Amino acid sequence: MLQFFIKSYGCQMNSYDSSRISDALMEAGHKTAESMSDANVVIFNTCSIREKADEKLFSDLGRARLLKLQSQITGNDFIIVVTGCVAQSKHEDIAKRAPYVDIIVGPQEIHKIAEDISDFLKKDRVDTIVRTASNAKEKFLHLTDQFFNRDVSEFLTIQEGCDNFCTYCIVPYTRGREFSRDVSDIMSEARKLLSMNVKEIILLGQNVNSYRGIGLDGKTWNLSRLIFELANLDGLKRIRYTTSNPKDIDESIAKVHREVEILMPFLHLPVQSGSDVVLRRMNRKYSADEYLKCIDFLRNSRSDMAFSSDFIVGFPGETDDDFQETLKLVNTVKFAQAYSFKYSSRPGTAAEKMDQQIPEEIKSERLQILQEILNKQQSQFNNGYVGKSLNVLITKQGRHKNQLVGRSEYSQSVAICDSYLNIGDVARVNITESLSHSLVGMVV
Ligand code: SAH
Ligand code: SF4
Ligand code: F3S
């Protein structure tokens, strides 16, 4: 029996993968460790989206190396595994810079990690294992169907990979081509989650709304058809999906939002920029105007719909005027929440080779201006609920006595004091106060 510790970086797809790796290791009889220093197996599930994310891995590996040296002195096992997107895109670099890493496998090879570890224990393997096959179908076929430890709200990956090749993005090179899981497979996973008291399922995909899977009738189903099916499951209280691409929003999405009450009226719809010139150079396949029409269309379908988004500032060639276009779009939409990043050049992408790279100081300046507006919008959105009520799914105990914490329809964190509610309940809550990152309320 080994103690394992998984450190997950990056997006929700990685958190999902980490929990499936954890299941496989628990099935093999291993136990989770509280920290890296209590573990005999350390797994880094890495992200490569921006340069900083890559560098984070190498600094963490330095720490793991010291722990490995200490274990060797005491004669204990210590296995270091690197998986995720950096393992895929930089496996040669990792093997060279960190030869003490035992297993380097891409995000679509995670189903073999438990077996690799047991080979190491049997001392059958001495050389570093490196595997970077890109076959999501195989991964889902072979991941264990034993699940352990699930929370009230859980991710369920339905689609993986990306065919869009936005010019700044490394994901098509790390996650490979788009793959959609069969509906029957997704339904049985959803049932398993519900049997473990999960109440909210968040469907995941790099391009979740381009989902095209084999349906229960043998025909191809899209995301909305799948959501209609999931909505019939007993005990499921909430459905969300992320991340959507604006170019794939269609009438079927509007319809499912209108008709499925447990589908939350909150959509993450990354726009990246408000300038058509930049959007074209990014290969986003929509204009700022089309994005705005898409927002209007969804708001007209369901009036309580709110939006979050992602932005990149300082994309090669972005002028001050282009940046002003982004601010204009932000002021038109009014986002409930947003993430914004400085453009980071990624190896092998088309934008890496573009001229007119923007200096760091200008990127920082633009980021600060944008974030100030986005933060203000988020506060305005949250303040707007003081004196009104929201439905809150209770997800955990709070820090204070009788305090519970949950999430609203819009994923806002809400703290309430009530001794009658349980984790997993949905309560109607009167919002009394809006703090910087959360709300406070009382059960109606
Ligand atoms: N598939 C999703 C995005 C996944 S990556 C979509 O198309 O929206 C998450 C976010 O990281 C992106 O929306 C983008 O804003 C940001 N991002 C991706 N590549 C980046 C890069 N090279 N530099 C800075 N931010 C980047
Ligand atoms: Fe990256 Fe674009 Fe694909 Fe999103 S749609 S994962 S940003 S290439
Ligand atoms: Fe990062 Fe890979 Fe996700 S690059 S954002 S972990 S798909």
Side-chain angles (χ1 to χ4, degrees):
M1 195 264 292
L2 292 173
Q3 306 250 87
F4 64 93
F5 181 77
I6 307 182
K7 179 154 182 187
S8 215
Y9 313 70
C11 68
Q12 295 144 327
M13 307 273 290
N14 266 10
S15 316
Y16 173 85
D17 286 348
S18 292
S19 61
R20 305 279 320 244
I21 297 169
S22 178
D23 291 335
L25 292 174
M26 289 174 85
E27 189 185 30
H30 307 306
K31 282 211 164 81
T32 52
E34 290 290 308
S35 70
M36 217 195 292
S37 46
D38 298 325
N40 326 97
V41 180
V42 175
I43 301 170
F44 296 105
N45 194 4
T46 59
C47 170
S48 199
I49 203 79
R50 284 167 290 275
E51 198 181 346
K52 263 202 193 126
D54 274 16
E55 283 313 311
K56 185 95 189 59
L57 168 69
F58 288 103
S59 67
D60 282 346
L61 277 178
R63 259 191 74 210
R65 177 173 164 261
L66 293 179
L67 292 170
K68 185 167 183 148
L69 288 172
Q70 279 169 11
S71 302
Q72 280 164 346
I73 295 167
T74 50
N76 291 320
D77 289 305
F78 195 90
I79 299 172
I80 304 178
V81 184
V82 179
T83 183
C85 289
V86 186
Q88 189 74 16
S89 63
K90 285 202 167 172
H91 51 98
E92 284 166 358
D93 219 26
I94 298 168
K96 210 167 355 149
R97 279 173 70 181
Y100 48 85
V101 172
D102 302 292
I103 301 168
I104 307 171
V105 294
Q108 286 161 9
E109 291 275 7
I110 57 167
H111 53 291
K112 296 185 193 146
I113 290 178
E115 199 183 313
D116 291 336
I117 289 172
S118 86
D119 283 354
F120 263 97
L121 287 179
K122 284 187 268 161
K123 314 289 178 210
D124 284 355
R125 302 294 273 267
V126 275
D127 296 331
T128 305
I129 295 173
V130 181
R131 262 200 322 268
T132 54
S134 192
N135 190 335
K137 189 174 180 175
E138 282 293 307
K139 160 177 163 176
F140 286 106
L141 202 62
H142 295 293
L143 279 168
T144 176
D145 53 10
Q146 284 250 39
F147 282 20
F148 299 82
N149 309 336
R150 290 299 192 270
D151 292 326
V152 166
S153 171
E154 284 290 344
F155 298 126
L156 198 175
T157 295
I158 63 166
Q159 183 275 333
E160 184 162 341
C162 181
D163 295 344
N164 289 330
F165 290 91
C166 300
T167 53
Y168 51 80
C169 185
I170 201 161
V171 171
Y173 308 95
T174 62
R175 295 267 174 179
R177 298 290 65 76
E178 284 185 23
F179 165 76
S180 295
R181 295 174 71 187
D182 293 354
V183 173
S184 57
D185 194 17
I186 296 166
M187 294 303 291
S188 79
E189 187 165 328
R191 282 199 193 91
K192 207 174 312 159
L193 292 174
L194 292 174
S195 75
M196 299 178 78
N197 268 328
V198 170
K199 304 294 178 198
E200 173 178 84
I201 293 181
I202 307 172
L203 304 174
L204 294 184
Q206 249 94 38
N207 288 288
V208 76
N209 59 342
S210 75
Y211 173 84
R212 295 287 180 279
I214 298 173
L216 299 180
D217 54 5
K219 296 192 180 132
T220 303
W221 286 18
N222 62 11
L223 176 68
S224 14
R225 183 70 190 82
L226 172 68
I227 292 174
F228 275 113
E229 193 66 34
L230 283 164
N232 293 327
L233 289 174
D234 260 359
L236 183 58
K237 294 185 177 174
R238 283 181 168 183
I239 303 174
R240 301 180 191 273
Y241 58 94
T242 193
T243 295
S244 303
N245 195 307
K247 76 174 176 54
D248 297 318
I249 296 287
D250 59 11
E251 170 51 33
S252 76
I253 293 282
K255 183 173 154 73
V256 74
H257 272 288
R258 264 192 315 266
E259 296 180 12
V260 173
E261 211 185 314
I262 64 167
L263 179 63
M264 294 297 103
F266 186 45
L267 189 61
H268 184 57
L269 200 59
V271 61
Q272 316 299 357
S273 167
S275 151
D276 289 344
V277 181
V278 173
L279 287 170
R280 211 170 309 125
R281 285 164 65 90
M282 285 178 164
N283 191 29
R284 285 295 287 183
K285 303 186 184 92
Y286 53 82
S287 64
D289 199 42
E290 280 163 345
Y291 182 86
L292 293 173
K293 285 207 174 98
C294 184
I295 298 269
D296 277 349
F297 169 67
L298 291 167
R299 277 185 175 146
N300 288 335
S301 307
R302 198 172 157 162
S303 57
D304 58 352
M305 201 77 181
F307 298 89
S308 69
S309 198
D310 290 344
F311 296 86
I312 296 176
V313 299
F315 184 77
E318 185 189 67
T319 61
D320 271 335
D321 285 349
D322 291 323
F323 179 61
Q324 290 304 321
E325 292 290 318
T326 298
L327 300 184
K328 202 168 106 192
L329 181 138
V330 169
N331 285 322
T332 311
V333 176
K334 303 206 169 24
F335 290 98
Q337 204 195 328
Y339 305 90
S340 43
F341 314 98
K342 288 194 265 186
Y343 165 74
S344 166
S345 170
R346 305 312 292 129
T349 59
E352 186 199 15
K353 290 160 211 91
M354 287 181 184
D355 49 12
Q356 297 173 279
Q357 298 282 332
I358 306 294
E360 258 333 277
E361 319 81 77
I362 297 188
K363 286 189 205 170
S364 302
E365 205 178 294
R366 287 181 186 163
L367 188 68
Q368 204 190 340
I369 296 170
L370 177 62
Q371 287 187 338
E372 210 168 290
I373 300 175
L374 290 169
N375 287 340
K376 215 177 270 168
Q377 291 193 349
Q378 181 170 358
S379 305
Q380 275 164 355
F381 181 78
N382 289 340
N383 294 344
Y385 283 97
V386 176
K388 294 192 182 141
S389 50
L390 286 164
N391 293 319
V392 177
L393 170 66
I394 310 298
T395 53
K396 57 182 183 191
Q397 298 286 343
R399 261 177 295 159
H400 306 292
K401 194 167 172 258
N402 282 343
Q403 192 193 44
L404 294 164
V405 177
R407 296 257 163 206
S408 74
E409 294 90 324
Y410 304 108
S411 275
Q412 297 143 301
S413 169
V414 183
I416 49 180
C417 281
D418 194 286
S419 45
Y420 296 101
L421 287 170
N422 293 308
I423 290 173
D425 288 348
V426 174
R428 190 86 189 147
V429 173
N430 262 341
I431 304 300
T432 52
E433 202 181 341
S434 164
L435 307 172
S436 54
H437 289 106
S438 61
L439 300 171
V440 182
M442 275 167 19
V443 178
V444 174

